Amino acid sequence: MRSRYSAFAKNQMQYLKDTTDPQTLQEIDEEANQEWAERAKFLKLEILKTEEKGTKGTVEFKAFYSVDDEEYIHHEVSTFRKQSGEWFFKSGKVKEAKA
């Protein structure tokens, strides 16, 4: 997760593509990710929870960033799949902020 956050911060879209599960790659909007990464200033990553069960893993995190001097928090639970010793991003579910 940390390496993917760093890739967003450095606008390294090829790394993000390379670390996405090939089974779900077509679901990723690469153009939207690139546009967002170009506009955002990444402030910090907070890992809240991790879980690993065999070849499946989850990471709950908060990514802190700003766009046009306004700060945001992206709270997500991401799922990963391990293949040949490598972890691949499978999907993410955004957690809504509680009122």
Side-chain angles (χ1 to χ4, degrees):
M1 188 64 244
R2 293 182 203 290
S3 68
R4 289 180 60 82
Y5 174 83
S6 294
F8 270 111
K10 295 177 181 180
N11 203 0
Q12 296 175 336
M13 295 299 124
Q14 187 61 48
Y15 179 81
L16 293 169
K17 187 174 182 177
D18 293 344
T19 59
T20 297
D21 187 334
Q23 295 174 351
T24 58
L25 187 58
Q26 71 280 359
E27 298 171 22
I28 304 298
D29 187 340
E30 293 178 55
E31 188 175 318
N33 281 343
Q34 173 121 22
E35 288 175 10
W36 177 69
E38 288 172 356
R39 293 183 61 225
K41 178 182 177 186
F42 295 85
L43 306 172
K44 73 176 181 173
L45 174 67
E46 203 174 280
I47 303 293
L48 304 173
K49 182 179 176 185
T50 63
E51 189 174 316
E52 181 181 341
K53 290 183 181 178
T55 61
K56 296 180 180 180
T58 59
V59 177
E60 181 176 356
F61 69 92
K62 289 183 179 179
F64 297 78
Y65 66 98
S66 66
V67 174
D68 299 328
D69 295 323
E70 189 164 342
E71 293 189 8
Y72 299 91
I73 300 172
H74 177 83
H75 186 180
E76 180 177 308
V77 177
S78 293
T79 58
F80 292 84
R81 182 175 66 88
K82 194 174 193 178
Q83 182 179 337
S84 302
E86 299 283 331
W87 286 103
F88 293 89
F89 172 79
K90 191 164 178 76
S91 65
K93 183 176 180 181
V94 175
K95 303 230 358 167
E96 293 192 29
K98 295 180 182 176

mmCIF file with all atom_site columns, all heavy atoms in Angstrom, residues 51-62:
data_model
loop_
_atom_site.group_PDB
_atom_site.id
_atom_site.type_symbol
_atom_site.label_atom_id
_atom_site.label_alt_id
_atom_site.label_comp_id
_atom_site.label_asym_id
_atom_site.label_entity_id
_atom_site.label_seq_id
_atom_site.pdbx_PDB_ins_code
_atom_site.Cartn_x
_atom_site.Cartn_y
_atom_site.Cartn_z
_atom_site.occupancy
_atom_site.B_iso_or_equiv
_atom_site.pdbx_formal_charge
_atom_site.auth_seq_id
_atom_site.auth_comp_id
_atom_site.auth_asym_id
_atom_site.auth_atom_id
_atom_site.pdbx_PDB_model_num
ATOM 1  N N   . GLU A 1 51 ? -4.745  -7.012  7.105  1.00 0.00 ? 51 GLU A N   1
ATOM 2  C CA  . GLU A 1 51 ? -5.102  -8.405  7.359  1.00 0.00 ? 51 GLU A CA  1
ATOM 3  C C   . GLU A 1 51 ? -4.627  -9.238  6.178  1.00 0.00 ? 51 GLU A C   1
ATOM 4  O O   . GLU A 1 51 ? -4.779  -8.841  5.024  1.00 0.00 ? 51 GLU A O   1
ATOM 5  C CB  . GLU A 1 51 ? -6.621  -8.530  7.506  1.00 0.00 ? 51 GLU A CB  1
ATOM 6  C CG  . GLU A 1 51 ? -7.077  -9.893  7.972  1.00 0.00 ? 51 GLU A CG  1
ATOM 7  C CD  . GLU A 1 51 ? -8.573  -9.930  8.243  1.00 0.00 ? 51 GLU A CD  1
ATOM 8  O OE1 . GLU A 1 51 ? -9.089  -8.981  8.859  1.00 0.00 ? 51 GLU A OE1 1
ATOM 9  O OE2 . GLU A 1 51 ? -9.212  -10.907 7.817  1.00 0.00 ? 51 GLU A OE2 1
ATOM 10 N N   . GLU A 1 52 ? -4.041  -10.391 6.488  1.00 0.00 ? 52 GLU A N   1
ATOM 11 C CA  . GLU A 1 52 ? -3.554  -11.295 5.448  1.00 0.00 ? 52 GLU A CA  1
ATOM 12 C C   . GLU A 1 52 ? -4.059  -12.698 5.748  1.00 0.00 ? 52 GLU A C   1
ATOM 13 O O   . GLU A 1 52 ? -3.905  -13.197 6.863  1.00 0.00 ? 52 GLU A O   1
ATOM 14 C CB  . GLU A 1 52 ? -2.029  -11.276 5.407  1.00 0.00 ? 52 GLU A CB  1
ATOM 15 C CG  . GLU A 1 52 ? -1.436  -12.163 4.348  1.00 0.00 ? 52 GLU A CG  1
ATOM 16 C CD  . GLU A 1 52 ? 0.086   -12.139 4.335  1.00 0.00 ? 52 GLU A CD  1
ATOM 17 O OE1 . GLU A 1 52 ? 0.688   -11.194 4.887  1.00 0.00 ? 52 GLU A OE1 1
ATOM 18 O OE2 . GLU A 1 52 ? 0.657   -13.067 3.776  1.00 0.00 ? 52 GLU A OE2 1
ATOM 19 N N   . LYS A 1 53 ? -4.681  -13.302 4.750  1.00 0.00 ? 53 LYS A N   1
ATOM 20 C CA  . LYS A 1 53 ? -5.162  -14.682 4.858  1.00 0.00 ? 53 LYS A CA  1
ATOM 21 C C   . LYS A 1 53 ? -4.759  -15.405 3.587  1.00 0.00 ? 53 LYS A C   1
ATOM 22 O O   . LYS A 1 53 ? -5.411  -15.263 2.552  1.00 0.00 ? 53 LYS A O   1
ATOM 23 C CB  . LYS A 1 53 ? -6.684  -14.726 5.040  1.00 0.00 ? 53 LYS A CB  1
ATOM 24 C CG  . LYS A 1 53 ? -7.158  -14.221 6.382  1.00 0.00 ? 53 LYS A CG  1
ATOM 25 C CD  . LYS A 1 53 ? -8.665  -14.360 6.515  1.00 0.00 ? 53 LYS A CD  1
ATOM 26 C CE  . LYS A 1 53 ? -9.108  -13.816 7.869  1.00 0.00 ? 53 LYS A CE  1
ATOM 27 N NZ  . LYS A 1 53 ? -10.562 -13.869 8.031  1.00 0.00 ? 53 LYS A NZ  1
ATOM 28 N N   . GLY A 1 54 ? -3.662  -16.123 3.655  1.00 0.00 ? 54 GLY A N   1
ATOM 29 C CA  . GLY A 1 54 ? -3.182  -16.837 2.475  1.00 0.00 ? 54 GLY A CA  1
ATOM 30 C C   . GLY A 1 54 ? -2.790  -15.882 1.372  1.00 0.00 ? 54 GLY A C   1
ATOM 31 O O   . GLY A 1 54 ? -1.899  -15.067 1.524  1.00 0.00 ? 54 GLY A O   1
ATOM 32 N N   . THR A 1 55 ? -3.489  -15.977 0.246  1.00 0.00 ? 55 THR A N   1
ATOM 33 C CA  . THR A 1 55 ? -3.177  -15.128 -0.909 1.00 0.00 ? 55 THR A CA  1
ATOM 34 C C   . THR A 1 55 ? -4.067  -13.893 -0.980 1.00 0.00 ? 55 THR A C   1
ATOM 35 O O   . THR A 1 55 ? -4.060  -13.173 -1.980 1.00 0.00 ? 55 THR A O   1
ATOM 36 C CB  . THR A 1 55 ? -3.327  -15.915 -2.229 1.00 0.00 ? 55 THR A CB  1
ATOM 37 O OG1 . THR A 1 55 ? -4.683  -16.351 -2.337 1.00 0.00 ? 55 THR A OG1 1
ATOM 38 C CG2 . THR A 1 55 ? -2.370  -17.095 -2.276 1.00 0.00 ? 55 THR A CG2 1
ATOM 39 N N   . LYS A 1 56 ? -4.841  -13.645 0.074  1.00 0.00 ? 56 LYS A N   1
ATOM 40 C CA  . LYS A 1 56 ? -5.723  -12.477 0.099  1.00 0.00 ? 56 LYS A CA  1
ATOM 41 C C   . LYS A 1 56 ? -5.319  -11.544 1.229  1.00 0.00 ? 56 LYS A C   1
ATOM 42 O O   . LYS A 1 56 ? -4.937  -11.992 2.303  1.00 0.00 ? 56 LYS A O   1
ATOM 43 C CB  . LYS A 1 56 ? -7.178  -12.910 0.271  1.00 0.00 ? 56 LYS A CB  1
ATOM 44 C CG  . LYS A 1 56 ? -7.688  -13.737 -0.886 1.00 0.00 ? 56 LYS A CG  1
ATOM 45 C CD  . LYS A 1 56 ? -9.113  -14.143 -0.694 1.00 0.00 ? 56 LYS A CD  1
ATOM 46 C CE  . LYS A 1 56 ? -9.568  -14.967 -1.887 1.00 0.00 ? 56 LYS A CE  1
ATOM 47 N NZ  . LYS A 1 56 ? -10.946 -15.398 -1.765 1.00 0.00 ? 56 LYS A NZ  1
ATOM 48 N N   . GLY A 1 57 ? -5.418  -10.268 0.969  1.00 0.00 ? 57 GLY A N   1
ATOM 49 C CA  . GLY A 1 57 ? -5.074  -9.288  1.993  1.00 0.00 ? 57 GLY A CA  1
ATOM 50 C C   . GLY A 1 57 ? -5.956  -8.062  1.886  1.00 0.00 ? 57 GLY A C   1
ATOM 51 O O   . GLY A 1 57 ? -6.511  -7.767  0.821  1.00 0.00 ? 57 GLY A O   1
ATOM 52 N N   . THR A 1 58 ? -6.098  -7.358  3.004  1.00 0.00 ? 58 THR A N   1
ATOM 53 C CA  . THR A 1 58 ? -6.824  -6.089  3.017  1.00 0.00 ? 58 THR A CA  1
ATOM 54 C C   . THR A 1 58 ? -6.002  -5.050  3.767  1.00 0.00 ? 58 THR A C   1
ATOM 55 O O   . THR A 1 58 ? -5.254  -5.383  4.691  1.00 0.00 ? 58 THR A O   1
ATOM 56 C CB  . THR A 1 58 ? -8.218  -6.194  3.686  1.00 0.00 ? 58 THR A CB  1
ATOM 57 O OG1 . THR A 1 58 ? -8.057  -6.630  5.025  1.00 0.00 ? 58 THR A OG1 1
ATOM 58 C CG2 . THR A 1 58 ? -9.132  -7.141  2.941  1.00 0.00 ? 58 THR A CG2 1
ATOM 59 N N   . VAL A 1 59 ? -6.143  -3.827  3.339  1.00 0.00 ? 59 VAL A N   1
ATOM 60 C CA  . VAL A 1 59 ? -5.485  -2.695  3.992  1.00 0.00 ? 59 VAL A CA  1
ATOM 61 C C   . VAL A 1 59 ? -6.513  -1.588  4.113  1.00 0.00 ? 59 VAL A C   1
ATOM 62 O O   . VAL A 1 59 ? -7.086  -1.152  3.113  1.00 0.00 ? 59 VAL A O   1
ATOM 63 C CB  . VAL A 1 59 ? -4.265  -2.187  3.191  1.00 0.00 ? 59 VAL A CB  1
ATOM 64 C CG1 . VAL A 1 59 ? -3.658  -0.960  3.868  1.00 0.00 ? 59 VAL A CG1 1
ATOM 65 C CG2 . VAL A 1 59 ? -3.225  -3.275  3.007  1.00 0.00 ? 59 VAL A CG2 1
ATOM 66 N N   . GLU A 1 60 ? -6.747  -1.142  5.345  1.00 0.00 ? 60 GLU A N   1
ATOM 67 C CA  . GLU A 1 60 ? -7.583  0.035   5.562  1.00 0.00 ? 60 GLU A CA  1
ATOM 68 C C   . GLU A 1 60 ? -6.640  1.196   5.807  1.00 0.00 ? 60 GLU A C   1
ATOM 69 O O   . GLU A 1 60 ? -5.719  1.103   6.612  1.00 0.00 ? 60 GLU A O   1
ATOM 70 C CB  . GLU A 1 60 ? -8.512  -0.154  6.760  1.00 0.00 ? 60 GLU A CB  1
ATOM 71 C CG  . GLU A 1 60 ? -9.415  1.042   6.983  1.00 0.00 ? 60 GLU A CG  1
ATOM 72 C CD  . GLU A 1 60 ? -10.422 0.867   8.107  1.00 0.00 ? 60 GLU A CD  1
ATOM 73 O OE1 . GLU A 1 60 ? -10.485 -0.225  8.699  1.00 0.00 ? 60 GLU A OE1 1
ATOM 74 O OE2 . GLU A 1 60 ? -11.145 1.844   8.399  1.00 0.00 ? 60 GLU A OE2 1
ATOM 75 N N   . PHE A 1 61 ? -6.867  2.287   5.088  1.00 0.00 ? 61 PHE A N   1
ATOM 76 C CA  . PHE A 1 61 ? -5.952  3.424   5.189  1.00 0.00 ? 61 PHE A CA  1
ATOM 77 C C   . PHE A 1 61 ? -6.689  4.742   5.008  1.00 0.00 ? 61 PHE A C   1
ATOM 78 O O   . PHE A 1 61 ? -7.819  4.791   4.529  1.00 0.00 ? 61 PHE A O   1
ATOM 79 C CB  . PHE A 1 61 ? -4.845  3.312   4.139  1.00 0.00 ? 61 PHE A CB  1
ATOM 80 C CG  . PHE A 1 61 ? -5.321  3.498   2.723  1.00 0.00 ? 61 PHE A CG  1
ATOM 81 C CD1 . PHE A 1 61 ? -5.300  4.751   2.122  1.00 0.00 ? 61 PHE A CD1 1
ATOM 82 C CD2 . PHE A 1 61 ? -5.802  2.429   1.992  1.00 0.00 ? 61 PHE A CD2 1
ATOM 83 C CE1 . PHE A 1 61 ? -5.754  4.930   0.822  1.00 0.00 ? 61 PHE A CE1 1
ATOM 84 C CE2 . PHE A 1 61 ? -6.247  2.588   0.688  1.00 0.00 ? 61 PHE A CE2 1
ATOM 85 C CZ  . PHE A 1 61 ? -6.225  3.842   0.103  1.00 0.00 ? 61 PHE A CZ  1
ATOM 86 N N   . LYS A 1 62 ? -5.989  5.797   5.394  1.00 0.00 ? 62 LYS A N   1
ATOM 87 C CA  . LYS A 1 62 ? -6.411  7.157   5.105  1.00 0.00 ? 62 LYS A CA  1
ATOM 88 C C   . LYS A 1 62 ? -5.253  7.846   4.392  1.00 0.00 ? 62 LYS A C   1
ATOM 89 O O   . LYS A 1 62 ? -4.120  7.831   4.882  1.00 0.00 ? 62 LYS A O   1
ATOM 90 C CB  . LYS A 1 62 ? -6.752  7.930   6.380  1.00 0.00 ? 62 LYS A CB  1
ATOM 91 C CG  . LYS A 1 62 ? -8.032  7.479   7.045  1.00 0.00 ? 62 LYS A CG  1
ATOM 92 C CD  . LYS A 1 62 ? -8.338  8.337   8.259  1.00 0.00 ? 62 LYS A CD  1
ATOM 93 C CE  . LYS A 1 62 ? -9.638  7.921   8.919  1.00 0.00 ? 62 LYS A CE  1
ATOM 94 N NZ  . LYS A 1 62 ? -9.926  8.754   10.113 1.00 0.00 ? 62 LYS A NZ  1
#
